[in-house]
Amino acid sequence: HLTRAMPYVVPFTSATPRLQRTLTRAGMRAGDLLRRGARTSSATLPPPRRLSSTELRTLAPPLRHAGLVGGTLSWDGQLEDDARLVVTLARTAAGRGAHVRTRARVLTATGTGVELRDELTGATHRVSARAVVSATGVWADQLVDEVRLRPSRGTHLVLRAETLPGLTTAVFAPVPGQTNRFVMVLPQPDGTLYVGLTDEPVEGEMPDVPTPSEGEIGFLLDVVAASFDRALHRSDVVGAYAGLRPLLDTGAAGAAGPAGAAGGSTADLSRRHAVLTSRSGVITVVGGKLTTYRRMAEDAVDAAVGAMGATGATGSTGPGAGPCVTRTLPLLGAAPRAELAALELPDRLVRRYGTDAALVLTTAREVTGLGDDALLAPVAAGVPVTLAELVFGVTHEGAADVDDLLDRRTRVGLVPADREAALPAAERAIELARDQARPSGSSATVS
């Protein structure tokens, strides 16, 4: 329910080198081989094909017509919302016995426990464990000295859909002078376009919230503008955000990675993940990509189970740990697409919550006493998030304040103007839910 098939095109002009066209098409064919290896039906992700310039203009009308000679069409999976995925993962874990703690900072860690500080109250706690896994991204080296990272920053821009009117198909715009780099223009279901991605080294202390640089913003605008008829300006950018990649420094002892990548561009560093065990016993999983998160989890938990077996705890062959189930375990709300399509519930809630859409709506009714018209209306002009979603964020997803609701449970905060417009609704949702008992339901709650 959190993914859909996304068509995307790569335009070629008369100035596109033949080598770049060849490599692009070869890359798409290789991607299709991966699709076949994963046994994904071609009805879900059709194979790539060449496009004439006429077909390309039909699929992506705002493309620059001058010099356009054709291109390629391929398909990939698009995530509805990364925040939805993260929170749904946490709720699924809670439903299987996990205790989820937000606003808790790890001060120190060993293989047998961690010291936590509650960032809301300042209280510290010691938690003992049979195994400790650090999945802390670019902050992993702050907990384990042996982990050495070379983080990089990736920046996206947010544009309104009307900036490139009529664009409903994603476009991978070639970076001039590069044979295998593109800037992606990705239409979103909420009426915006995401434009990215950069790869810039980050030095010094890692910020809690990374900030895009003006240089990155200018680079992305310039590359996209070269592929479209409409000129793009800094004023077209209604939001910008960045993430940090935890890339392994291959000069570190025990860190696995490509030979010779310790110097030069971070774009050359491997995106593969690694599972490392420190002298103190902390198991660190670092690197990797969102698309391989389940494999990363399986490898990390296998290492934890193995460590417990080595110290006399119940291991993978005993009654305490059976085979890993992450390959086939559905997240809360997941169901076959035909079943989701048959749900007589608002399309937006089904896309974002799957079969839990009914729970979202029922919860909001019980907590607020309001009717569906009030609960399902956009909270502000141009902001499609609903009051029902915000209330559910408090009751079932552990949101403690408006920052949680607007920045971490939804992505309204990516556009500052939208955040300002949605602020009263977020405050209202917290007020309505504050003194209410959490509704009962079959789905788990993040506390």
Side-chain angles (χ1 to χ4, degrees):
H1 64 293
L2 290 173
T3 60
R4 68 182 63 81
M6 177 191 75
Y8 69 91
V9 297
V10 179
F12 298 145
T13 70
S14 54
T16 305
R18 182 177 298 275
L19 175 61
Q20 184 170 1
R21 301 185 201 188
T22 301
L23 289 176
T24 298
R25 288 170 175 145
M28 290 184 171
R29 287 193 295 270
D32 192 53
L33 288 176
L34 292 176
R35 187 267 304 170
R36 296 182 186 186
R39 298 182 180 177
T40 301
S41 167
S42 59
T44 300
L45 294 179
R49 67 180 182 89
R50 297 190 181 198
L51 295 174
S52 68
S53 59
T54 301
E55 290 175 308
L56 197 53
R57 288 194 294 267
T58 301
L59 285 171
L63 283 172
R64 187 185 299 275
H65 293 185
L68 192 65
V69 296
T72 60
L73 168 69
S74 192
W75 296 75
D76 204 344
Q78 183 177 29
L79 190 63
E80 166 73 21
D81 183 335
D82 62 337
R84 285 290 92 224
L85 175 65
V86 170
V87 176
T88 305
L89 276 165
R91 292 183 59 237
T92 303
R96 298 180 69 85
H99 293 266
V100 180
R101 298 285 182 260
T102 63
R103 307 297 183 90
R105 184 179 296 270
V106 177
L107 302 177
T108 60
T110 68
T112 56
V114 296
E115 183 183 10
L116 303 174
R117 183 175 67 220
D118 186 324
E119 296 295 276
L120 295 178
T121 67
T124 60
H125 306 275
R126 179 73 187 174
V127 179
S128 298
R130 290 190 294 167
V132 172
V133 176
S134 168
T136 50
V138 293
W139 298 275
D141 56 357
Q142 296 180 19
L143 293 176
V144 176
D145 291 338
E146 296 102 304
V147 175
R148 298 280 300 280
L149 301 175
R150 289 185 60 208
S152 75
R153 182 177 60 244
T155 287
H156 280 92
L157 312 181
V158 185
L159 312 177
R160 299 291 188 195
E162 54 266 27
T163 305
L164 297 172
L167 185 64
T168 58
T169 300
V171 173
F172 285 24
V175 176
Q178 303 282 331
T179 58
N180 61 348
R181 284 195 66 195
F182 304 89
V183 169
M184 297 171 285
V185 183
L186 306 173
Q188 301 299 307
D190 62 356
T192 58
L193 303 169
Y194 290 172
V195 176
L197 187 65
T198 61
D199 198 317
E200 294 294 321
V202 180
E203 304 291 341
E205 185 176 352
M206 294 299 106
D208 285 346
V209 181
T211 303
S213 69
E214 285 299 320
E216 291 173 288
I217 294 172
F219 164 77
L220 293 172
L221 287 175
D222 288 345
V223 172
V224 172
S227 290
F228 289 87
D229 267 334
R230 184 189 184 279
L232 296 179
H233 306 286
R234 182 63 176 82
S235 58
D236 292 319
V237 179
V238 296
Y241 65 98
L244 299 175
R245 303 180 185 90
L247 306 178
L248 280 170
D249 186 337
T250 56
S265 169
T266 52
D268 298 326
L269 292 177
S270 173
R271 267 53 174 172
R272 290 183 178 274
H273 70 275
V275 178
L276 313 171
T277 302
S278 71
R279 289 185 294 270
S280 67
V282 175
I283 297 165
T284 298
V285 55
V286 70
K289 302 179 74 173
L290 181 63
T291 46
T292 57
Y293 79 89
R294 292 206 187 213
R295 174 59 186 269
M296 294 169 66
E298 181 173 348
D299 289 350
V301 175
D302 282 351
V305 170
M308 289 190 291
T311 58
T314 302
S316 59
T317 58
C324 182
V325 298
T326 190
R327 286 176 180 267
T328 56
L329 178 69
L331 302 184
L332 290 177
R337 296 187 187 277
E339 182 178 328
L340 292 171
L343 294 176
E344 295 182 358
L345 291 161
D347 177 67
R348 175 180 171 85
L349 294 188
V350 174
R351 287 201 331 263
R352 299 172 70 80
Y353 300 91
T355 58
D356 273 351
L359 177 64
V360 174
L361 193 52
T362 299
T363 298
R365 289 169 182 158
E366 293 176 351
V367 169
T368 67
L370 298 173
D372 288 2
D373 288 346
L375 293 173
L376 296 175
V379 297
V383 184
V385 69
T386 64
L387 183 60
E389 295 169 68
L390 296 177
V391 168
F392 193 76
V394 180
T395 60
H396 282 67
E397 296 178 346
D401 55 25
V402 295
D403 291 345
D404 280 347
L405 284 178
L406 298 180
D407 301 330
R408 291 180 281 275
R409 303 303 185 272
T410 66
R411 283 295 189 233
V412 173
L414 293 180
V415 179
D418 290 352
R419 192 186 195 283
E420 186 68 22
L423 193 59
E427 293 172 339
R428 185 184 182 201
I430 291 172
E431 182 179 355
L432 288 168
R434 180 171 292 156
D435 298 323
Q436 294 288 334
R438 226 173 237 111
S440 61
S442 59
S443 295
T445 298
V446 172
S447 61

